[in-house]
Amino acid sequence: MENKLDSGSIALFIGLLFLVALQLFWATPGVPPIAYSDFRRLLDAHEIDNLVISPTRITGELRSEQAKAALPASDAAALGGGPPPYTFSTIRVADDSLPVRLAAAGVRYSGTLDSNWAGSLLGWLAPLLLFMIVWQFMMRRGGGTRDFMGIGRSRAHVYVQRETGATFNDIAGIDEAKKELQQIVSFLCHPERYRRLGGKIPKGILIVGAPGTGKTLLAKALAGEAGVPFFSISGSSFVEMFVGVGAARVRDLFEQAQRQAPCIVFIDELDALGKVRGASPISGNDEREQTLNQLLVELDGFEANAGVILLAATNRPETLDPALLRPGRFDRHIAIDRPDLVGRRQILAVHTRKVPLAPDVDLEELAARTPGCVGADLANIVNEAALHAAEADRSSVAMADFDEAIDRALAGSERKSRVMNALEKLTIAYHEAGHALVAQSRAHCDPVKKVSIIPRGVAALGYTQQVPTEDRYVLRRSELLDRLDALLGGRVSEELVFGDASTGAENDLERATAMAWHMVARYGMSERIGLANCADDGVAHALGGAEGPRHGEHTAQCIDDEVRRLLNEAHERVARTLDDRREALDRIAKCLLDREVLEHDELVALIAGEPVQGDGAEARVREDTSGEGQSRRVERAA
Ligand code: ADP
Ligand code: ZN
C-alpha cells in the first residue's frame, strides 16, 4: 500500500484544515469584547444603544467617550480611537433581568440568530468529511480503490505486479499442471506462431484445488516465466455493498488489462463471485449477479488473441455457475491435488533450499509423516522448524526442530482430522485396495486409472479412480452388476481383513443401493418385478397424472426385497473374489501404505504378483529428483 497518501485524501485533508481555520477566524469576533458586568453597568447608565442580541452574543454601540474611558484600559484600547459611537460586543450570560434592564434603559434592540455561517457549515461538513476519510481508509484496507471518486475502479491496478519474482522452479509436486501452463507461456511469448495457423489461445483457465495447494503460486510463476504483468484480485473483493460497483470494477479491470497486454489476470476465490445465479429468487444477491454477468460479458468480449490470459482459482468448482465454464470462457481446467508422498518430498526440498539442514534431517521421513498436508502447510512447517532452530541459536535446522514444527502444524484441529492415524491409514488402504482389485477382476468394469489414500475433499478419505475406455450410453445388466461389485469392494475388503466394518463405506453403499434400486424399479432387470417401471418419482406423476406411487404396498415390499437380494448377492460374489485373491489384496494395500498413490500399471503388476518398477518409494523419489519428476494429473474423482 505505497500510495496511502494519494491526492484524494490529501485534498480532503487540506479542505478540512481550511474549514477549521475558517471557523477559528470567524468565531473570533470582529468587534472587541467587553465584560458582561461592564455591559450591564453601561446599560444602566444609558451609555449603550442599537443592540443586536444573538443566542450567544450581544453586539452594540457605545455612545460616549466617557463611557469608553470608564472601561478597563485594555478593553478601552481594543475599542479603538476616533469619535463615538464605538462598536463593542459581549458574550451573553444567563441573565433573567436583561429584558427588564433593556426596557428600563429604553435602548433600541433586535435579536438575531447566530450568524456564524462558517461555524454551522463546519458543523455540517466535519462529520461528513470525517465519514469520507474513514470510508476511504476502510476501502483501502479492503484492497483499496485509488481515490474516493474512483469507487468503481478495480483494485487490480493497485495489485499489478511487473515482476512476481516467482518461477516454475519454486513449484514442486504438481508437474502436470506446470506443464499445461508452460504451454500457455509459449502462447504469450510467441503469439504470432499460433495465430498464423489460426489457432485460438485459451482465454480462461480454471485452477481447481484445495487451499494452499499452490494455485496462486502457479499463476504468479506463469506471469514470472512469461515476463508479463500480473494482475491479481480476489473474487470476494469484487462484491461490494453497492449494487453496480462490482460490475464497474470488472469492466475497469479488463480495460486496464487489455491496455497492458500481454498480461495475466488472476482472480482468486472465483466462487465468491461466480456462484450459481438465482439460487434464491426473492433475496437474490443483485450485486453479485450483476458482477458475474459483467464478467461473462467481458469474457465473451475480449479477443482470445489479445494477449490477456485469465486465470481463476477455486476450491469449490461445483458451486460455480455453469455459464462460467462454457466453451470460450473458463473452458480449461487444471486440477491440483493434495501432494502425494513424492510430491511432498519435492515441495519440502524446494522450501529447504535456503535452509541449512543438519545431517540428520531426512526429508523422506518428513514427507511420510505429513500425509494430507498441502504445499502451504509444508512451507509453514519448514519455516517453523527454522524459527525453532534459530531460537535455540543453532546454525542448522535439525530433525528435532521439524518434529516440533510438525506437531505444532498438526495441532490445529482441522489438520489433525485430515492426518490419519496408522490404523485409519491401514483401513483406508485395504478399503481402496478392495475397490481396485474387484474392479480389475471384473470383465465389465472400467480399468482403474489410479488408487489413492491421500485424503481429499471433506468426505472422501481415499479414492479409486476408474476411467472409462469409451463413452457409454447404454449399460447392460452384466455391466451394472460388475459395477455394483466394484462399489462394494471397499467394504467387503474391510470385513475380510479386519473382521469389522467402518464408516468409510457410507458413500459406496449409498451409490450401490441407488444402483440396485434403479436396476429393479426402472430398468426391469429383476425377474420378480418384471418389466414394470415402478419409479415413484416425478416421472411417474407426469405419465399417470395421479398422486402417489403407481404400485401398491406389496410391490414396494418386493422392490425392497429385490434390492436387498441384489446387494447380498453382490456381497457374496465380492467376498469370494477377495478371498481367492487375498494375497494380491495384501500386496496392493501394503504398496498403497508405502506410496499412497498407485497408477494403473503399478496396480496391474501388483495384482499379477510381478515386481513393481522401481521398488519402494525411495527408489522412485531418487528417480524423481534426478529426472523428469513424477507427474500426475487428476481429473474429477470418480
Ligand atoms: P492457494 O492459492 O492454492 O491457496 P498458494 O499458492 O497461496 O495456495 O500457496 C501458499 C504457499 O504455499 C506458497 O506461497 C508456497 O510457499 C507454498 N506452496 C504451495 N504449493 C506449493 C508447491 N506445489 N510447491 C512449492 N510451494 C508450494
Ligand atoms: Zn469406498
Side-chain angles (χ1 to χ4, degrees), residues 3 19 22 133 138 202 224 251 253 260 298 322 360 374 418 446 507 511 532 538 543 573 594 603 607 624 636:
N3 50 5
L19 275 172
L22 213 61
I133 287 171
M138 288 190 346
R251 216 173 302 127
L253 170 68
Q260 299 220 22
E298 296 291 345
D360 70 332
V374 295
R418 258 207 266 126
D446 294 321
N507 180 258
R511 284 164 63 194
L543 290 175
R573 281 195 306 273
D594 278 354
L603 181 66
I607 293 176
D624 262 21
R636 300 269 161 79

PDB file of all heavy atoms in Angstrom, residues 3 19 22 133 138 202 224 251 253 260 298 322 360 374 418 446 507 511 532 538 543 573 594 603 607 624 636:
ATOM      1  N   ASN A   3       0.743   3.900  -1.920  1.00  0.00           N
ATOM      2  CA  ASN A   3       0.126   5.211  -2.115  1.00  0.00           C
ATOM      3  C   ASN A   3      -0.980   5.440  -1.104  1.00  0.00           C
ATOM      4  O   ASN A   3      -2.099   5.736  -1.432  1.00  0.00           O
ATOM      5  CB  ASN A   3      -0.389   5.393  -3.539  1.00  0.00           C
ATOM      6  CG  ASN A   3      -1.240   4.215  -3.940  1.00  0.00           C
ATOM      7  OD1 ASN A   3      -1.488   3.339  -3.113  1.00  0.00           O
ATOM      8  ND2 ASN A   3      -1.701   4.198  -5.154  1.00  0.00           N
ATOM      9  N   LEU A  19     -11.329  24.538   6.560  1.00  0.00           N
ATOM     10  CA  LEU A  19     -12.581  24.816   7.250  1.00  0.00           C
ATOM     11  C   LEU A  19     -12.348  25.118   8.717  1.00  0.00           C
ATOM     12  O   LEU A  19     -12.972  26.011   9.285  1.00  0.00           O
ATOM     13  CB  LEU A  19     -13.528  23.621   7.098  1.00  0.00           C
ATOM     14  CG  LEU A  19     -14.318  23.655   5.809  1.00  0.00           C
ATOM     15  CD1 LEU A  19     -15.073  22.362   5.627  1.00  0.00           C
ATOM     16  CD2 LEU A  19     -15.301  24.829   5.849  1.00  0.00           C
ATOM     17  N   LEU A  22     -11.092  28.559   8.964  1.00  0.00           N
ATOM     18  CA  LEU A  22     -12.189  29.490   8.705  1.00  0.00           C
ATOM     19  C   LEU A  22     -13.036  29.671   9.959  1.00  0.00           C
ATOM     20  O   LEU A  22     -13.385  30.786  10.363  1.00  0.00           O
ATOM     21  CB  LEU A  22     -13.058  28.905   7.596  1.00  0.00           C
ATOM     22  CG  LEU A  22     -13.717  29.909   6.672  1.00  0.00           C
ATOM     23  CD1 LEU A  22     -12.648  30.730   5.965  1.00  0.00           C
ATOM     24  CD2 LEU A  22     -14.589  29.183   5.671  1.00  0.00           C
ATOM     25  N   ILE A 133     -13.343  10.203   5.078  1.00  0.00           N
ATOM     26  CA  ILE A 133     -11.968   9.770   5.315  1.00  0.00           C
ATOM     27  C   ILE A 133     -11.951   8.355   5.884  1.00  0.00           C
ATOM     28  O   ILE A 133     -11.206   7.487   5.429  1.00  0.00           O
ATOM     29  CB  ILE A 133     -11.264  10.759   6.264  1.00  0.00           C
ATOM     30  CG1 ILE A 133     -10.962  12.045   5.501  1.00  0.00           C
ATOM     31  CG2 ILE A 133      -9.988  10.158   6.817  1.00  0.00           C
ATOM     32  CD1 ILE A 133     -10.465  13.161   6.374  1.00  0.00           C
ATOM     33  N   MET A 138     -11.187   2.551   5.040  1.00  0.00           N
ATOM     34  CA  MET A 138     -11.677   1.176   5.058  1.00  0.00           C
ATOM     35  C   MET A 138     -11.648   0.547   3.679  1.00  0.00           C
ATOM     36  O   MET A 138     -11.326  -0.613   3.523  1.00  0.00           O
ATOM     37  CB  MET A 138     -13.083   1.135   5.632  1.00  0.00           C
ATOM     38  CG  MET A 138     -13.033   1.400   7.102  1.00  0.00           C
ATOM     39  SD  MET A 138     -14.520   1.122   8.042  1.00  0.00           S
ATOM     40  CE  MET A 138     -15.788   0.978   6.898  1.00  0.00           C
ATOM     41  N   PRO A 202      -6.130 -20.113 -25.505  1.00  0.00           N
ATOM     42  CA  PRO A 202      -7.188 -20.213 -24.496  1.00  0.00           C
ATOM     43  C   PRO A 202      -7.331 -18.908 -23.726  1.00  0.00           C
ATOM     44  O   PRO A 202      -6.374 -18.205 -23.493  1.00  0.00           O
ATOM     45  CB  PRO A 202      -6.716 -21.335 -23.579  1.00  0.00           C
ATOM     46  CG  PRO A 202      -5.268 -21.479 -23.845  1.00  0.00           C
ATOM     47  CD  PRO A 202      -5.044 -21.057 -25.254  1.00  0.00           C
ATOM     48  N   GLY A 224       5.629 -14.800 -14.071  1.00  0.00           N
ATOM     49  CA  GLY A 224       7.072 -14.623 -13.940  1.00  0.00           C
ATOM     50  C   GLY A 224       7.817 -15.230 -15.114  1.00  0.00           C
ATOM     51  O   GLY A 224       8.722 -14.621 -15.679  1.00  0.00           O
ATOM     52  N   ARG A 251     -15.354  -4.229 -15.350  1.00  0.00           N
ATOM     53  CA  ARG A 251     -15.141  -3.537 -16.616  1.00  0.00           C
ATOM     54  C   ARG A 251     -13.777  -2.850 -16.610  1.00  0.00           C
ATOM     55  O   ARG A 251     -13.009  -2.960 -17.542  1.00  0.00           O
ATOM     56  CB  ARG A 251     -16.247  -2.496 -16.794  1.00  0.00           C
ATOM     57  CG  ARG A 251     -16.701  -2.333 -18.222  1.00  0.00           C
ATOM     58  CD  ARG A 251     -17.903  -1.409 -18.295  1.00  0.00           C
ATOM     59  NE  ARG A 251     -19.035  -1.862 -17.508  1.00  0.00           N
ATOM     60  CZ  ARG A 251     -19.655  -1.103 -16.591  1.00  0.00           C
ATOM     61  NH1 ARG A 251     -19.256   0.125 -16.335  1.00  0.00           N
ATOM     62  NH2 ARG A 251     -20.678  -1.585 -15.928  1.00  0.00           N
ATOM     63  N   LEU A 253     -11.202  -3.462 -14.724  1.00  0.00           N
ATOM     64  CA  LEU A 253     -10.100  -4.423 -14.666  1.00  0.00           C
ATOM     65  C   LEU A 253      -9.715  -4.881 -16.066  1.00  0.00           C
ATOM     66  O   LEU A 253      -8.546  -4.901 -16.433  1.00  0.00           O
ATOM     67  CB  LEU A 253     -10.514  -5.619 -13.812  1.00  0.00           C
ATOM     68  CG  LEU A 253      -9.587  -6.825 -13.835  1.00  0.00           C
ATOM     69  CD1 LEU A 253      -8.264  -6.497 -13.168  1.00  0.00           C
ATOM     70  CD2 LEU A 253     -10.225  -8.007 -13.121  1.00  0.00           C
ATOM     71  N   GLN A 260      -2.544  -3.286 -20.974  1.00  0.00           N
ATOM     72  CA  GLN A 260      -1.202  -3.759 -20.620  1.00  0.00           C
ATOM     73  C   GLN A 260      -0.871  -5.104 -21.252  1.00  0.00           C
ATOM     74  O   GLN A 260       0.100  -5.740 -20.867  1.00  0.00           O
ATOM     75  CB  GLN A 260      -1.094  -3.894 -19.106  1.00  0.00           C
ATOM     76  CG  GLN A 260      -1.317  -2.586 -18.404  1.00  0.00           C
ATOM     77  CD  GLN A 260      -0.363  -2.430 -17.235  1.00  0.00           C
ATOM     78  OE1 GLN A 260       0.671  -3.067 -17.188  1.00  0.00           O
ATOM     79  NE2 GLN A 260      -0.718  -1.574 -16.309  1.00  0.00           N
ATOM     80  N   GLU A 298     -17.433  -9.598 -20.310  1.00  0.00           N
ATOM     81  CA  GLU A 298     -16.036  -9.294 -20.621  1.00  0.00           C
ATOM     82  C   GLU A 298     -15.332 -10.513 -21.198  1.00  0.00           C
ATOM     83  O   GLU A 298     -14.529 -10.420 -22.114  1.00  0.00           O
ATOM     84  CB  GLU A 298     -15.298  -8.819 -19.368  1.00  0.00           C
ATOM     85  CG  GLU A 298     -15.820  -7.529 -18.785  1.00  0.00           C
ATOM     86  CD  GLU A 298     -15.513  -6.330 -19.678  1.00  0.00           C
ATOM     87  OE1 GLU A 298     -14.674  -6.450 -20.574  1.00  0.00           O
ATOM     88  OE2 GLU A 298     -16.151  -5.275 -19.471  1.00  0.00           O
ATOM     89  N   PRO A 322     -22.680 -22.588 -14.110  1.00  0.00           N
ATOM     90  CA  PRO A 322     -22.261 -23.333 -15.303  1.00  0.00           C
ATOM     91  C   PRO A 322     -21.901 -22.407 -16.467  1.00  0.00           C
ATOM     92  O   PRO A 322     -21.084 -22.764 -17.309  1.00  0.00           O
ATOM     93  CB  PRO A 322     -23.480 -24.179 -15.651  1.00  0.00           C
ATOM     94  CG  PRO A 322     -24.334 -24.177 -14.449  1.00  0.00           C
ATOM     95  CD  PRO A 322     -24.002 -22.984 -13.632  1.00  0.00           C
ATOM     96  N   ASP A 360      21.133 -34.965  10.066  1.00  0.00           N
ATOM     97  CA  ASP A 360      20.145 -35.983  10.449  1.00  0.00           C
ATOM     98  C   ASP A 360      18.772 -35.740   9.824  1.00  0.00           C
ATOM     99  O   ASP A 360      17.853 -36.513  10.039  1.00  0.00           O
ATOM    100  CB  ASP A 360      20.020 -36.049  11.980  1.00  0.00           C
ATOM    101  CG  ASP A 360      19.347 -34.806  12.545  1.00  0.00           C
ATOM    102  OD1 ASP A 360      19.475 -33.732  11.909  1.00  0.00           O
ATOM    103  OD2 ASP A 360      18.705 -34.893  13.602  1.00  0.00           O
ATOM    104  N   VAL A 374      -0.728 -29.858   2.524  1.00  0.00           N
ATOM    105  CA  VAL A 374      -0.555 -29.223   1.221  1.00  0.00           C
ATOM    106  C   VAL A 374       0.714 -28.381   1.242  1.00  0.00           C
ATOM    107  O   VAL A 374       1.370 -28.261   2.277  1.00  0.00           O
ATOM    108  CB  VAL A 374      -1.765 -28.342   0.864  1.00  0.00           C
ATOM    109  CG1 VAL A 374      -3.003 -29.191   0.699  1.00  0.00           C
ATOM    110  CG2 VAL A 374      -1.974 -27.278   1.916  1.00  0.00           C
ATOM    111  N   ARG A 418      -7.433 -34.357   9.306  1.00  0.00           N
ATOM    112  CA  ARG A 418      -7.059 -34.760   7.960  1.00  0.00           C
ATOM    113  C   ARG A 418      -5.913 -35.768   7.991  1.00  0.00           C
ATOM    114  O   ARG A 418      -5.768 -36.581   7.106  1.00  0.00           O
ATOM    115  CB  ARG A 418      -6.637 -33.528   7.158  1.00  0.00           C
ATOM    116  CG  ARG A 418      -7.714 -33.062   6.224  1.00  0.00           C
ATOM    117  CD  ARG A 418      -7.108 -32.357   5.058  1.00  0.00           C
ATOM    118  NE  ARG A 418      -7.048 -30.931   5.278  1.00  0.00           N
ATOM    119  CZ  ARG A 418      -5.954 -30.209   5.170  1.00  0.00           C
ATOM    120  NH1 ARG A 418      -4.810 -30.789   4.870  1.00  0.00           N
ATOM    121  NH2 ARG A 418      -5.973 -28.938   5.363  1.00  0.00           N
ATOM    122  N   ASP A 446     -14.687 -50.553 -15.814  1.00  0.00           N
ATOM    123  CA  ASP A 446     -13.687 -49.668 -16.398  1.00  0.00           C
ATOM    124  C   ASP A 446     -12.366 -49.884 -15.677  1.00  0.00           C
ATOM    125  O   ASP A 446     -12.341 -50.088 -14.472  1.00  0.00           O
ATOM    126  CB  ASP A 446     -14.112 -48.208 -16.217  1.00  0.00           C
ATOM    127  CG  ASP A 446     -15.358 -47.894 -17.005  1.00  0.00           C
ATOM    128  OD1 ASP A 446     -15.468 -48.404 -18.137  1.00  0.00           O
ATOM    129  OD2 ASP A 446     -16.222 -47.167 -16.485  1.00  0.00           O
ATOM    130  N   ASN A 507     -20.634 -43.711   1.507  1.00  0.00           N
ATOM    131  CA  ASN A 507     -20.930 -43.230   0.162  1.00  0.00           C
ATOM    132  C   ASN A 507     -21.035 -44.381  -0.841  1.00  0.00           C
ATOM    133  O   ASN A 507     -21.887 -44.381  -1.725  1.00  0.00           O
ATOM    134  CB  ASN A 507     -19.851 -42.231  -0.251  1.00  0.00           C
ATOM    135  CG  ASN A 507     -20.081 -41.696  -1.632  1.00  0.00           C
ATOM    136  OD1 ASN A 507     -19.433 -42.112  -2.576  1.00  0.00           O
ATOM    137  ND2 ASN A 507     -21.045 -40.793  -1.760  1.00  0.00           N
ATOM    138  N   ARG A 511     -24.381 -45.330  -3.071  1.00  0.00           N
ATOM    139  CA  ARG A 511     -24.389 -45.450  -4.524  1.00  0.00           C
ATOM    140  C   ARG A 511     -24.807 -46.844  -4.966  1.00  0.00           C
ATOM    141  O   ARG A 511     -25.532 -47.015  -5.954  1.00  0.00           O
ATOM    142  CB  ARG A 511     -23.020 -45.093  -5.086  1.00  0.00           C
ATOM    143  CG  ARG A 511     -22.797 -43.590  -5.066  1.00  0.00           C
ATOM    144  CD  ARG A 511     -21.350 -43.228  -5.255  1.00  0.00           C
ATOM    145  NE  ARG A 511     -20.828 -43.656  -6.554  1.00  0.00           N
ATOM    146  CZ  ARG A 511     -19.528 -43.684  -6.833  1.00  0.00           C
ATOM    147  NH1 ARG A 511     -18.647 -43.346  -5.923  1.00  0.00           N
ATOM    148  NH2 ARG A 511     -19.116 -44.068  -8.020  1.00  0.00           N
ATOM    149  N   ALA A 532     -42.186 -53.905 -15.245  1.00  0.00           N
ATOM    150  CA  ALA A 532     -42.903 -52.708 -14.807  1.00  0.00           C
ATOM    151  C   ALA A 532     -41.934 -51.653 -14.307  1.00  0.00           C
ATOM    152  O   ALA A 532     -41.020 -51.941 -13.550  1.00  0.00           O
ATOM    153  CB  ALA A 532     -43.874 -53.079 -13.696  1.00  0.00           C
ATOM    154  N   GLY A 538     -41.026 -38.116  -9.980  1.00  0.00           N
ATOM    155  CA  GLY A 538     -41.704 -37.203 -10.888  1.00  0.00           C
ATOM    156  C   GLY A 538     -42.150 -37.821 -12.196  1.00  0.00           C
ATOM    157  O   GLY A 538     -43.196 -37.480 -12.737  1.00  0.00           O
ATOM    158  N   LEU A 543     -46.473 -39.115 -16.133  1.00  0.00           N
ATOM    159  CA  LEU A 543     -47.118 -40.054 -17.049  1.00  0.00           C
ATOM    160  C   LEU A 543     -48.547 -40.347 -16.626  1.00  0.00           C
ATOM    161  O   LEU A 543     -49.480 -40.290 -17.416  1.00  0.00           O
ATOM    162  CB  LEU A 543     -46.319 -41.366 -17.092  1.00  0.00           C
ATOM    163  CG  LEU A 543     -44.953 -41.265 -17.782  1.00  0.00           C
ATOM    164  CD1 LEU A 543     -44.223 -42.588 -17.650  1.00  0.00           C
ATOM    165  CD2 LEU A 543     -45.134 -40.897 -19.250  1.00  0.00           C
ATOM    166  N   ARG A 573     -20.449 -62.441  -4.007  1.00  0.00           N
ATOM    167  CA  ARG A 573     -19.501 -62.548  -5.118  1.00  0.00           C
ATOM    168  C   ARG A 573     -18.181 -61.861  -4.773  1.00  0.00           C
ATOM    169  O   ARG A 573     -17.102 -62.394  -4.983  1.00  0.00           O
ATOM    170  CB  ARG A 573     -20.083 -61.893  -6.382  1.00  0.00           C
ATOM    171  CG  ARG A 573     -21.083 -62.719  -7.138  1.00  0.00           C
ATOM    172  CD  ARG A 573     -21.314 -62.139  -8.531  1.00  0.00           C
ATOM    173  NE  ARG A 573     -21.684 -60.721  -8.516  1.00  0.00           N
ATOM    174  CZ  ARG A 573     -22.942 -60.283  -8.384  1.00  0.00           C
ATOM    175  NH1 ARG A 573     -23.936 -61.142  -8.256  1.00  0.00           N
ATOM    176  NH2 ARG A 573     -23.195 -58.998  -8.386  1.00  0.00           N
ATOM    177  N   ASP A 594       2.808 -47.673   1.474  1.00  0.00           N
ATOM    178  CA  ASP A 594       4.139 -47.141   1.184  1.00  0.00           C
ATOM    179  C   ASP A 594       4.072 -45.880   0.350  1.00  0.00           C
ATOM    180  O   ASP A 594       4.767 -44.913   0.603  1.00  0.00           O
ATOM    181  CB  ASP A 594       4.954 -48.175   0.395  1.00  0.00           C
ATOM    182  CG  ASP A 594       5.550 -49.198   1.337  1.00  0.00           C
ATOM    183  OD1 ASP A 594       5.410 -48.999   2.557  1.00  0.00           O
ATOM    184  OD2 ASP A 594       6.132 -50.183   0.858  1.00  0.00           O
ATOM    185  N   LEU A 603      -0.630 -51.051 -10.444  1.00  0.00           N
ATOM    186  CA  LEU A 603      -1.693 -51.888  -9.891  1.00  0.00           C
ATOM    187  C   LEU A 603      -1.735 -53.232 -10.610  1.00  0.00           C
ATOM    188  O   LEU A 603      -1.809 -54.295  -9.981  1.00  0.00           O
ATOM    189  CB  LEU A 603      -3.033 -51.162 -10.024  1.00  0.00           C
ATOM    190  CG  LEU A 603      -4.234 -51.897  -9.472  1.00  0.00           C
ATOM    191  CD1 LEU A 603      -4.128 -52.047  -7.961  1.00  0.00           C
ATOM    192  CD2 LEU A 603      -5.524 -51.190  -9.845  1.00  0.00           C
ATOM    193  N   ILE A 607      -1.156 -56.929  -8.926  1.00  0.00           N
ATOM    194  CA  ILE A 607      -2.148 -57.994  -8.963  1.00  0.00           C
ATOM    195  C   ILE A 607      -1.538 -59.255  -9.548  1.00  0.00           C
ATOM    196  O   ILE A 607      -1.752 -60.365  -9.066  1.00  0.00           O
ATOM    197  CB  ILE A 607      -3.382 -57.550  -9.773  1.00  0.00           C
ATOM    198  CG1 ILE A 607      -4.096 -56.423  -9.018  1.00  0.00           C
ATOM    199  CG2 ILE A 607      -4.334 -58.723  -9.996  1.00  0.00           C
ATOM    200  CD1 ILE A 607      -5.269 -55.828  -9.754  1.00  0.00           C
ATOM    201  N   ASP A 624      12.985 -39.421  -9.214  1.00  0.00           N
ATOM    202  CA  ASP A 624      12.281 -38.162  -9.409  1.00  0.00           C
ATOM    203  C   ASP A 624      13.173 -36.958  -9.328  1.00  0.00           C
ATOM    204  O   ASP A 624      13.083 -36.036 -10.118  1.00  0.00           O
ATOM    205  CB  ASP A 624      11.227 -38.006  -8.315  1.00  0.00           C
ATOM    206  CG  ASP A 624       9.891 -38.425  -8.822  1.00  0.00           C
ATOM    207  OD1 ASP A 624       9.894 -39.164  -9.812  1.00  0.00           O
ATOM    208  OD2 ASP A 624       8.903 -38.011  -8.249  1.00  0.00           O
ATOM    209  N   ARG A 636     -11.636 -35.124 -12.116  1.00  0.00           N
ATOM    210  CA  ARG A 636     -12.604 -35.193 -11.014  1.00  0.00           C
ATOM    211  C   ARG A 636     -12.684 -36.611 -10.467  1.00  0.00           C
ATOM    212  O   ARG A 636     -12.570 -37.573 -11.207  1.00  0.00           O
ATOM    213  CB  ARG A 636     -13.988 -34.803 -11.525  1.00  0.00           C
ATOM    214  CG  ARG A 636     -14.066 -33.434 -12.075  1.00  0.00           C
ATOM    215  CD  ARG A 636     -14.444 -32.449 -10.986  1.00  0.00           C
ATOM    216  NE  ARG A 636     -14.107 -31.105 -11.376  1.00  0.00           N
ATOM    217  CZ  ARG A 636     -14.851 -30.385 -12.214  1.00  0.00           C
ATOM    218  NH1 ARG A 636     -15.948 -30.867 -12.695  1.00  0.00           N
ATOM    219  NH2 ARG A 636     -14.500 -29.190 -12.539  1.00  0.00           N
TER     220      ARG A 636
END
